[in-house]
Amino acid sequence: MNTDPIVETSPNVTYGLDVVISCNISEPQSPITGHMWKKGDKILTSDKEPSEYTTYKIGEVNGDSSGVYECIFETNPPVSGTVYVTVKPHVTAYKKSEHGNEGDTGVLICKCNSYPPVSQWTWYKIKSDVNEAIINGTEKFIIKSSGNKAELRIASLDIEKDPGEYICNATNELGTSGAVVGLRVRSRLAALWPFLGIVAEVLILVTIIFIYEKRRKPDEVLDDDDGGSAPLKSNPPNHKDKNVRQRNAN
Amino acid sequence: FAYTPPDGGWGWAVVFGAFISIGFSYAFPKAIAIFFKEIQDVFGTSYSEIAWVSSIMLATTYGGGPISSILVNRFGSRPVVIFGGLLCGIGMISAAFCTSILQLYICVGVISGFGLALNLQPSVIIIGKYFLKRRPIANGLAMAGSPVMLFTLAPLNQFLFDNFGWRGSFFILGAILLNCCVAGALFRPIGMAADPVRKQTVKQAEKTKFNKYLDFSLFKHRGFLIYLIGNVLMFLGFFAPIVFLAPYAKHLGIDEYSAAFLLSILAIVDMIARPTTGIIANSKWVRPKIQYFFSFSIAFNGACHLLCPLATGYTGLVVYSVFFGLGFGMVCAMLFETLMDLVGAVRFTSAVGLVTIVECCTILLGPPIGGTLIDTFGDYKYMFIKCGAVMVLAGAFLFIMNYYNYRMLAKEERERIATEETMKDNKHIRTETEDGNIWAKEKMQDGPEVEPLTDEKEGLKKEVNGKSEV
């Protein structure tokens, strides 16, 4: 009587600093030619051992190491088991501090690539007494969230009210955690001062160049490096000037 | 009516102005790519839609060439460049307030692009008016503006973006571009004061009027046609490798910063290569046969691209970047010098406009064709092979055709001397022997900096520019 092979796995983990997960196959139907460990689509290790027991060292359980691990016994056909390494959400901000211009739209982005995926995102603005929840769908705030990424868009940035720190909270089966993103609003006029400075520089230089030219005009002599040529008359009003130049003419 | 170009003195101030103008014209369309990702997010467009901004800018800068030439023929370089600088500034300042990608196409692409066209051509033209004996050096120095400006603008743009956002940056860049007006102020008109269009007989006016504004008779000029065909071919393969160098490096597994560094290496070698090439091209051994040197540098560039697929590691790519930078700089340094050499400084004004508008098409086609090759074959090497082959072909074409041209010119020269001996004409021009070189074509005439053409001078001018009817 044939029984299907049974793969026993080590328990699912949510914590640990030196974690090793393992799989154990009983009653393989054909010889074991090797093993493979995969995380999602990525192959982590593989070997050609024939043992019924295979392990993989994860090390510290955290956002990066969390995920779905698959152990595969290379039998014919192959048989596999699954170990889930789960954590509370591990949230990071794309940029710790975002900038926006007054009147423009500010975008704050948080992402979370840990397992299990986020089921809910919430945003708060940090205030001195109690953090203020941000409600989606108003003219001012729009929240776009999609599993592992959440975006808070703040319209018409106000330089008085909007700058500060915001929290994005991500929730999954194991709990909630978040990250802090700072928002700074630049004054609309911030670019004006360098602009005016450069325009002033341009005007001054152009004026200097033209003044220099006018002052040289009366007795202008063009430098002529191949010596011996007569100086040009500059800007003669008489265009009928018969100043035919000939070089080394006989 | 003829004068000796100063070959120095205020000419160096003009070279500096041209350095700035040319630098902005070539570097600016590339350097604003830094802002694209942000603008892409804000306006919700795709990357290729955003990239059109650069393409439109480049197309307008090259396509505006003939208009630039006409304006310089009429008004001289200085007013055109100052006006161009104002246009650039206005374009970018308006761009800071744009609310759609279409408005950006217009403000940045068309308005500022056209402003750059009014900077690029007049700058190159005025060098030809101030320099003759040292013109290759002057050209090489002025063209070095492009890599230097790119090297400066790229980090500057990043700094502006971090501190002021893209709108503030465009606003400030508008002011920075106004410095083209400073460059224009340096373009002191040379020769005699410009006259208003002189009264001519009706017959003369009809014959010369259109040619005065844009010299279409250039299309019968043998040297011009050779240059045009060769360069149009060359540009099909000229820019694509730069566009794809960083992506190719990343494709080979090199990290983003090292890939970007390859372009920096290229730029540094480029900025040294240009003035150096100018000096070499100016030497008495090279200058009479400068067309050969130009053809050689194009073919050298092509050879680099053909060998690139052999480079598999980062070191190989660094070597490639060095040689590419060298070849690129050599070609760019002589790009306009060789045209001036063929048609003479006077007709150059029109020639440069006609050449740039024709080149416009292939310049725009080159990278997309390369991109299609990469996408179709999934491999960069066909793009490099295509670019290399096209450029080697262009170099060979130019070499052979210029050999033919040099021989024809020498023959025409002998004929002309023979007829001169038998002519009693006290307006005839002697050839100049200087440092053992003979080039009789380069008498400075005409253009609004000097007197406008009259019929008799037109005849003289034809004689001077060689019997160039094919």
Side-chain angles (χ1 to χ4, degrees):
Chain A
M1 195 166 69
N2 281 340
T3 53
D4 285 331
I6 300 168
V7 177
E8 274 173 25
T9 64
S10 57
N12 295 332
V13 273
T14 58
Y15 177 77
L17 290 170
D18 238 328
V19 174
V20 175
I21 56 177
S22 61
C23 293
N24 197 345
I25 191 172
S26 55
E27 302 177 42
Q29 297 295 297
S30 63
I32 301 165
T33 54
H35 315 92
M36 192 158 52
W37 279 94
K38 277 171 80 168
K39 184 180 178 195
D41 284 333
K42 188 172 156 200
I43 298 176
L44 299 170
T45 64
S46 64
D47 62 53
K48 302 275 188 231
E49 305 296 310
S51 67
E52 294 174 352
Y53 187 70
T54 178
T55 64
Y56 180 74
K57 178 167 175 175
I58 291 180
E60 184 187 336
V61 172
N62 55 30
D64 290 327
S65 62
S66 66
V68 183
Y69 290 82
E70 200 183 345
C71 60
I72 301 171
F73 289 91
E74 308 273 24
T75 53
N76 193 4
V79 175
S80 66
T82 314
V83 183
Y84 295 91
V85 179
T86 57
V87 288
K88 280 202 317 188
H90 178 68
V91 186
T92 51
Y94 258 20
K95 279 201 263 178
K96 291 205 78 109
S97 179
E98 296 270 1
H99 293 252
N101 288 323
E102 208 181 349
D104 271 354
T105 303
V107 182
L108 308 179
I109 307 180
C110 284
K111 61 179 165 77
C112 172
N113 288 323
S114 57
Y115 183 84
V118 177
S119 55
Q120 191 195 21
W121 288 92
T122 47
W123 287 87
Y124 295 88
K125 185 168 197 302
I126 296 181
K127 294 217 150 140
S128 47
D129 43 359
V130 91
N131 291 348
E132 175 190 313
I134 295 183
I135 304 163
N136 184 13
T138 61
E139 253 184 43
K140 179 87 173 159
F141 296 108
I142 296 187
I143 300 178
K144 285 195 215 171
S145 35
S146 61
N148 57 357
K149 188 167 121 173
E151 237 181 49
L152 170 64
R153 291 184 164 251
I154 309 175
S156 322
L157 288 171
D158 182 321
I159 201 170
E160 303 284 314
K161 300 193 219 132
D162 290 329
E165 305 213 300
Y166 293 75
I167 297 181
C168 52
N169 268 346
T171 307
N172 67 9
E173 291 127 37
L174 289 171
T176 301
S177 74
V180 177
V181 188
L183 176 66
R184 288 170 53 188
V185 179
R186 293 184 206 109
S187 152
R188 189 164 249 157
L189 299 177
L192 190 59
W193 307 115
F195 174 82
L196 290 177
I198 299 174
V199 171
E201 165 248 320
V202 168
L203 287 172
I204 292 173
L205 284 178
V206 171
T207 312
I208 292 177
I209 292 172
F210 276 114
I211 290 180
Y212 177 68
E213 186 170 319
K214 295 274 180 275
R215 288 180 64 192
R216 284 194 64 195
K217 222 179 170 174
D219 42 32
E220 178 176 55
V221 173
L222 281 174
D223 289 335
D224 225 314
D225 288 350
D226 37 328
S229 312
L232 264 190
K233 293 201 192 118
S234 70
N235 298 334
N238 178 13
H239 58 251
K240 291 201 196 66
D241 191 66
K242 288 193 177 53
N243 201 10
V244 177
R245 315 280 326 277
Q246 297 183 9
R247 290 182 253 177
N248 300 331
N250 287 358
Chain B
F1 42 66
Y3 70 99
T4 306
D7 273 308
W10 186 253
W12 298 119
V14 171
V15 167
F16 179 68
F19 180 89
I20 305 278
S21 268
I22 292 174
F24 277 127
S25 302
Y26 282 120
F28 197 76
K30 295 182 205 152
I32 50 167
I34 304 236
F35 300 106
F36 283 171
K37 182 140 203 320
E38 174 70 10
I39 299 178
Q40 201 184 325
D41 282 340
V42 170
F43 287 147
T45 64
S46 70
Y47 184 74
S48 56
E49 280 175 310
I50 264 286
W52 270 106
V53 172
S54 273
S55 305
I56 294 177
M57 200 174 203
L58 203 62
T60 318
T61 305
Y62 267 73
I67 303 176
S68 207
S69 296
I70 293 174
L71 290 174
V72 172
N73 266 328
R74 181 74 184 76
F75 298 109
S77 288
R78 174 184 263 175
V80 179
V81 174
I82 292 182
F83 179 65
L86 286 173
L87 267 189
C88 288
I90 292 172
M92 289 310 289
I93 293 171
S94 323
F97 298 102
C98 282
T99 52
S100 79
I101 187 83
L102 183 64
Q103 291 171 7
L104 273 184
Y105 289 158
I106 297 172
C107 292
V108 179
V110 176
I111 299 180
S112 289
F114 189 61
L116 290 179
L118 297 181
N119 266 276
L120 176 61
Q121 273 87 355
S123 302
V124 189
I125 289 170
I126 200 167
I127 290 179
K129 297 205 153 90
Y130 268 85
F131 287 87
L132 177 56
K133 286 193 307 184
R134 297 203 190 138
R135 199 176 59 199
I137 296 180
N139 266 315
L141 279 171
M143 294 296 279
S146 171
V148 169
M149 211 44 109
L150 185 62
F151 206 68
T152 315
L153 274 181
L156 178 68
N157 280 354
Q158 189 64 48
F159 170 78
L160 288 176
F161 176 64
D162 289 336
N163 284 290
F164 299 102
W166 70 272
R167 287 186 192 272
S169 300
F170 279 9
F171 197 58
I172 295 175
L173 282 171
I176 291 178
L177 280 178
L178 286 178
N179 279 292
C180 292
C181 297
V182 177
L186 290 170
F187 291 165
R188 199 185 285 172
I190 188 161
M192 304 190 180
D195 273 336
V197 177
R198 290 179 62 189
K199 294 193 178 65
Q200 301 169 329
T201 66
V202 172
K203 196 172 77 149
Q204 288 174 351
E206 278 166 15
K207 205 172 19 159
T208 64
K209 184 174 171 201
F210 199 61
N211 271 357
K212 182 215 302 280
Y213 289 105
L214 197 61
D215 191 354
F216 281 99
S217 70
L218 278 166
F219 283 110
K220 292 191 274 182
H221 187 300
R222 187 176 55 236
F224 177 78
L225 286 174
I226 294 173
Y227 180 89
L228 188 64
I229 297 173
N231 276 271
V232 162
L233 190 60
M234 173 194 61
F235 273 113
L236 268 179
F238 197 48
F239 287 115
I242 301 184
V243 172
F244 292 110
L245 180 59
Y248 177 57
K250 286 187 226 168
H251 177 80
L252 289 180
I254 295 171
D255 69 276
E256 196 157 334
Y257 288 105
S258 305
F261 189 60
L262 287 173
L263 287 170
S264 306
I265 296 176
L266 208 158
I268 294 176
V269 174
D270 188 5
M271 60 176 93
I272 301 173
R274 293 191 193 205
T276 312
T277 305
I279 294 174
I280 296 175
N282 212 113
S283 68
K284 68 179 188 221
W285 302 283
V286 179
R287 185 142 187 216
K289 304 293 175 197
I290 196 175
Q291 304 297 333
Y292 292 147
F293 190 41
F294 186 54
S295 318
F296 164 72
S297 31
I298 295 177
F300 172 75
N301 221 341
C304 283
H305 299 323
L306 286 174
L307 293 175
C308 180
L310 298 176
T312 46
Y314 188 62
T315 324
L317 279 184
V318 170
V319 171
Y320 169 71
S321 299
V322 169
F323 280 102
F324 184 11
L326 181 62
F328 193 75
M330 285 168 72
V331 172
C332 286
M334 289 190 282
L335 199 58
F336 294 114
E337 172 61 36
T338 43
L339 183 56
M340 279 185 210
D341 181 69
L342 284 167
V343 305
V346 178
R347 302 179 83 181
F348 178 76
T349 308
S350 303
V352 71
L354 294 171
V355 153
T356 50
I357 196 174
V358 176
E359 285 169 355
C360 186
C361 309
T362 46
I363 287 175
L364 287 177
L365 282 174
I369 293 180
T372 315
L373 279 172
I374 296 173
D375 290 337
T376 316
F377 292 101
D379 194 341
Y380 282 81
K381 75 173 183 212
Y382 293 103
M383 184 269 301
F384 284 111
I385 292 176
K386 158 238 169 195
C387 293
V390 158
M391 291 189 72
V392 168
L393 198 65
F397 171 81
L398 284 171
F399 194 88
I400 296 170
M401 293 310 288
N402 275 298
Y403 172 70
Y404 165 68
N405 192 36
Y406 276 133
R407 289 189 56 173
M408 292 299 288
L409 286 174
K411 187 174 110 178
E412 286 158 7
E413 184 67 15
R414 284 194 297 270
E415 285 168 10
R416 194 174 63 76
I417 293 177
T419 51
E420 257 181 26
E421 311 268 86
T422 63
M423 258 166 65
K424 273 209 171 193
D425 186 342
N426 60 357
K427 276 203 281 274
H428 75 224
I429 296 166
R430 302 315 213 101
T431 63
E432 169 185 29
T433 32
E434 184 126 14
D435 297 335
N437 295 331
I438 300 176
W439 58 92
K441 309 186 281 253
E442 298 297 343
K443 277 296 179 223
M444 305 304 297
Q445 290 183 18
D446 307 358
E449 273 83 351
V450 251
E451 286 181 280
L453 286 178
T454 59
D455 198 51
E456 89 188 331
K457 288 185 196 132
E458 171 95 274
L460 215 47
K461 190 191 78 152
K462 277 203 175 67
E463 199 180 356
V464 154
N465 271 329
K467 307 287 187 291
S468 34
E469 317 303 322
V470 175

